[in-house]
Amino acid sequence: MLHFDISYVKPIYLNQKKYIDIFFFAISLMLLTACGGQQPKDENNEFEAYTEDLFCSEVAANTISLHYTLKNPEDYGITDYEISPGNFESDPDVVKASAENMRQSLQTFSYDGLNLQNRITFDILEYQIRTAERNADYILYEEPLELVSGVQTQFPVVMSEYRFYDRQDVETYLELLEKTGDYFDSLIKFEREKADAGLFMADYALDTVLEQCRAFLDMGDGNYLYSTFADRIEDVEELTKEEKSDYIQDNALAVSDCVFPAYENLISSLEELRGSGENEKGLVNLPDGADYYELVVRRSTGSDRSVEEMEDLTRRQITDDLEAMEQVLGITTEEAQEAAASMTQDSAGLILSKLQDGIKETFPEAPDTALEVKYVPEEMEDHLSPAFYMIPAIDNTEENVIYINRAHMNDDLTLFTTLAHEGYPGHLYQTVYYESTDPDPIRSVMDFGGYVEGWATYAEMGSYYLTPLSKEQAVLLQKNSSIILGLYALADMGIHYEGWSRMDTVAFFSNYGITDTETIEQIYELIIGSPGNYLKYYIGYVEFLELKKDWAEEKGTEFSQKEFHEAVLEVGPAPFDIVEKYIWEMTE
């Protein structure tokens, strides 16, 4: 039996979302306002005017979302909006009403009269309606404080990257900080409703959330909300030196008087709910938990496969990977890892340059763009993902940021594959390429994690073959990484759908030679705290492999990787059945 080193494979990455509201596309969609656009002249113009209104309404409802989505909202006619970080909706009727209103609006358009891109958008909106309706009754099952990318860790990172283009941005930012208490009060109210419904998190998950909150507070005067503000305001040319100094003091007061107390109140309020979590195991143990998990998985992956089909798909891919490893003769996984550890220590900039050059033959050319690599504050390294990409505003894609968590960068191979995932040909490349196609703006506020993270994982897996390692070494290490991620995916489905206990999970990993009980316990608790998270990476990745197999079989001797990549990139983030439906039309 092959032995897999679970410590070798880096944990799952976070693709930083553009906005804090974690609930799926729904709450404010039908609060339409007039914003820009010409008078409609035909079916396509009418449809595009409708989706533009939809887009404006959605982004204007949350100021953080608005700022991260648009550098110049006035260009879209968005000039008058309430400054708000959003809130947490718990009324399923609001979601259902929104979905029904959208359905009625879509029915006014002739599908056959729409062009290709508008038909894709139409199909996606219909998908979103169905998703919203199916999930509405489970709204209290959602967890805004999830362990991988919950509000408690995302909020300060998102605020620390809030760009200042002018004086108004600075003042809006400070007002948002002052409203942190209200935002967290909405979060606390939501968690209390979860507790009343018997749906609050288990105490061990609560301990992790509280630890993350306290780590943020423990930074004290060294908190990065102080230092990053001072750095960002230096770039605002219209401000005098004295005004910048005054704003820096205003920020310090807002952080100490508003943000810190909001976290302290969150901690004390959550402590009051300790013990109210009735379920310490997977979602299947909740009322209708298996049905809810199926919805979580479908939403997370964008795949229309059943959980059972995903389990079969995962096992088949693991088998394929095992067979590929067994065909590599004369070298062991341990020897390949030693070769990886001895790779030349390159800088992030040099690695990204090598990746850009290495993908030229098999990926279409993307527009030139700027990229800044930053590093997670040391105090937060234990509580943030190994890396994440900050998605730029759709009208400012030349500014990109990747955060690296140095605590998780064990060697140069880890950094290399991480930068492939987050940069080229992963998140940054996919985002900038798609935006260069001038898509309907409404597409930018829809979150399809299976496509986005699946693509980045596909990019990461392919990057092993761009390293200085031999082909045999690359095969062993890439397949090892793929298998471990597949095991995580099976464990996610086993815990939340099959009802695995901790001991069941330990036994499962032991079958693959993974016997570090402490590590497996950590994986178990992480999966409990973030259902479906691993699946959007793994199932998304394998769905791309399946699409590629079908493409290659259809094209035969004319198969071109570059053509395939161009087709899926042109369709853009979407559920996989929609991607599959339209990729064939992209190269005609």
Side-chain angles (χ1 to χ4, degrees):
M1 177 184 294
L2 292 168
H3 173 75
F4 301 98
D5 180 5
I6 200 168
S7 65
Y8 170 73
V9 180
K10 47 193 168 291
I12 296 305
Y13 309 96
L14 163 67
N15 173 22
Q16 182 66 37
K17 292 182 180 179
K18 285 175 283 190
Y19 38 87
I20 292 295
D21 276 344
I22 67 160
F23 296 109
F24 47 88
F25 179 80
I27 303 305
S28 63
L29 282 181
M30 297 313 301
L31 305 177
L32 298 185
T33 57
C35 63
Q38 300 177 345
Q39 291 297 317
K41 297 179 180 179
D42 60 24
E43 197 72 19
N44 285 293
N45 282 345
E46 288 185 8
F47 182 77
E48 289 164 13
Y50 166 70
T51 59
E52 185 177 348
D53 277 350
L54 207 55
F55 167 76
C56 292
S57 176
E58 175 67 8
V59 297
N62 178 326
T63 309
I64 298 175
S65 172
L66 174 62
H67 188 72
Y68 269 85
T69 305
L70 294 173
K71 177 182 180 181
N72 299 302
E74 61 276 6
D75 291 347
Y76 290 77
I78 304 174
T79 57
D80 185 18
Y81 51 88
E82 179 185 358
I83 296 176
S84 169
N87 57 66
F88 297 88
E89 180 59 61
S90 60
D91 186 351
D93 291 336
V94 173
V95 179
K96 291 177 181 178
S98 174
E100 179 56 30
N101 287 338
M102 188 191 294
R103 173 177 281 109
Q104 292 178 6
S105 296
L106 287 182
Q107 289 173 351
T108 65
F109 298 103
S110 169
Y111 184 80
D112 293 337
L114 299 177
N115 60 34
L116 174 62
Q117 290 298 334
N118 285 337
R119 290 202 308 274
I120 295 175
T121 302
F122 187 102
D123 287 351
I124 289 174
L125 290 175
E126 282 198 326
Y127 174 90
Q128 296 289 56
I129 291 169
R130 295 192 299 271
T131 298
E133 290 175 333
R134 290 167 181 165
N135 284 271
D137 289 331
Y138 296 98
I139 198 165
L140 285 177
Y141 285 62
E142 302 288 337
E143 183 50 79
L145 296 171
E146 64 177 27
L147 304 187
V148 174
S149 57
V151 172
Q152 72 280 8
T153 57
Q154 277 205 341
F155 180 79
V157 174
V158 170
M159 297 309 290
S160 72
E161 283 297 320
Y162 191 102
R163 292 181 181 272
F164 300 150
Y165 301 110
D166 54 31
R167 182 193 302 273
Q168 184 58 53
D169 288 335
V170 178
E171 294 182 353
T172 298
Y173 172 85
L174 293 172
E175 187 170 343
L176 285 168
L177 288 189
E178 291 169 0
K179 294 186 175 184
T180 305
D182 293 338
Y183 179 62
F184 276 37
D185 284 345
S186 172
L187 171 60
I188 292 167
K189 178 177 179 291
F190 184 83
E191 292 295 333
R192 285 174 176 159
E193 290 186 48
K194 283 175 63 71
D196 290 343
L199 299 171
F200 190 65
M201 68 186 76
D203 284 352
Y204 60 80
L206 174 62
D207 289 337
T208 300
V209 171
L210 295 178
E211 182 182 351
Q212 292 169 336
C213 292
R214 292 182 180 119
F216 172 74
L217 291 174
D218 287 346
M219 291 185 224
D221 293 340
N223 194 288
Y224 56 89
L225 286 182
Y226 294 130
S227 58
T228 57
F229 182 89
D231 292 339
R232 284 173 286 153
I233 204 169
E234 278 302 313
D235 296 330
V236 185
E237 296 179 356
E238 69 180 89
L239 299 178
T240 66
K241 184 177 180 180
E242 290 74 21
E243 287 174 325
K244 291 177 181 177
S245 178
D246 289 343
Y247 278 130
I248 288 173
Q249 292 183 40
D250 291 341
N251 175 69
L253 287 174
V255 172
S256 62
D257 294 352
C258 302
V259 179
F260 288 169
Y263 269 84
E264 290 165 352
N265 185 39
L266 178 63
I267 290 171
S268 61
S269 298
L270 293 177
E271 279 287 8
E272 292 174 2
L273 300 178
R274 182 180 291 278
S276 61
E278 300 175 7
N279 177 36
E280 295 190 351
K281 298 181 181 179
L283 293 178
V284 69
N285 295 287
L286 294 174
D288 299 320
D291 292 340
Y292 172 63
Y293 181 67
E294 288 180 328
L295 295 176
V296 168
V297 167
R298 182 164 297 218
R299 193 174 77 222
S300 177
T301 65
S303 173
D304 62 357
R305 301 177 195 267
S306 67
V307 175
E308 291 88 351
E309 289 171 335
M310 289 184 189
E311 289 175 326
D312 290 342
L313 179 66
T314 302
R315 292 190 183 98
R316 289 200 306 271
Q317 185 61 46
I318 288 175
T319 299
D320 289 347
D321 289 339
L322 284 168
E323 291 176 352
M325 293 179 76
E326 290 169 348
Q327 289 174 7
V328 177
L329 303 176
I331 183 174
T332 66
T333 305
E334 290 75 12
E335 289 170 341
Q337 290 171 0
E338 290 175 5
S342 64
M343 284 173 56
T344 303
Q345 292 295 309
D346 289 330
S347 67
L350 184 56
I351 290 173
L352 286 163
S353 179
K354 289 181 177 179
L355 285 165
Q356 283 182 273
D357 187 61
I359 67 173
K360 287 181 178 178
E361 292 187 6
T362 53
F363 291 83
E365 184 177 357
D368 290 333
T369 190
L371 168 63
E372 183 177 5
V373 177
K374 296 185 178 182
Y375 295 92
V376 169
E378 184 177 352
E379 297 86 351
M380 293 299 290
E381 287 179 344
D382 291 340
H383 306 287
L384 291 177
S385 297
F388 50 90
Y389 167 61
M390 302 292 294
I391 303 174
I394 62 175
D395 56 348
N396 189 38
T397 55
E398 64 272 14
E399 295 184 11
N400 297 270
V401 175
I402 290 175
Y403 266 94
I404 300 294
N405 189 336
R406 283 173 286 201
H408 293 279
M409 298 299 109
N410 302 320
D411 51 43
D412 201 53
L413 178 63
T414 304
L415 180 60
F416 191 97
T417 55
T418 295
L419 289 171
H421 183 112
E422 304 298 342
Y424 294 94
H427 289 313
L428 184 154
Y429 169 86
Q430 180 268 313
T431 299
V432 173
Y433 184 94
Y434 181 62
E435 289 301 334
S436 74
T437 67
D438 193 27
D440 191 314
I442 195 64
R443 297 282 302 273
S444 69
V445 297
M446 301 181 192
D447 181 23
F448 293 107
Y451 179 104
V452 172
E453 295 297 356
W455 172 267
T457 303
Y458 172 84
E460 175 188 342
M461 295 299 173
S463 73
Y464 283 86
Y465 305 97
L466 300 177
T467 67
L469 298 171
S470 70
K471 180 179 179 181
E472 293 76 15
Q473 292 168 338
V475 167
L476 283 174
L477 296 181
Q478 184 265 308
K479 300 305 180 185
N480 179 78
S481 183
S482 176
I483 290 169
I484 294 297
L485 188 53
L487 296 180
Y488 288 174
L490 285 176
D492 194 307
M493 292 181 278
I495 291 167
H496 287 295
Y497 194 73
E498 307 293 347
W500 291 1
S501 66
R502 288 176 185 264
M503 292 309 300
D504 293 331
T505 308
V506 169
F508 167 74
F509 281 105
S510 296
N511 290 332
Y512 291 87
I514 300 168
T515 57
D516 184 343
T517 303
E518 182 178 351
T519 299
I520 297 170
E521 289 251 347
Q522 292 173 354
I523 294 170
Y524 180 87
E525 293 186 4
L526 185 61
I527 289 173
I528 290 289
S530 299
N533 181 66
Y534 285 111
L535 298 189
K536 64 185 174 186
Y537 295 83
Y538 186 78
I539 296 298
Y541 159 59
V542 178
E543 287 285 7
F544 277 113
L545 294 181
E546 293 295 299
L547 285 173
K548 192 174 183 179
K549 290 176 186 176
D550 292 342
W551 185 275
E553 183 177 348
E554 178 70 21
K555 295 291 184 177
T557 57
E558 297 180 357
F559 170 71
S560 162
Q561 286 207 72
K562 180 178 284 190
E563 184 183 46
F564 168 73
H565 293 151
E566 181 178 3
V568 296
L569 288 166
E570 290 278 343
V571 174
F576 281 103
D577 60 340
I578 293 177
V579 176
E580 183 178 17
K581 175 181 176 181
Y582 286 104
I583 54 174
W584 306 102
E585 298 185 54
M586 288 300 165
T587 57
E588 292 179 355

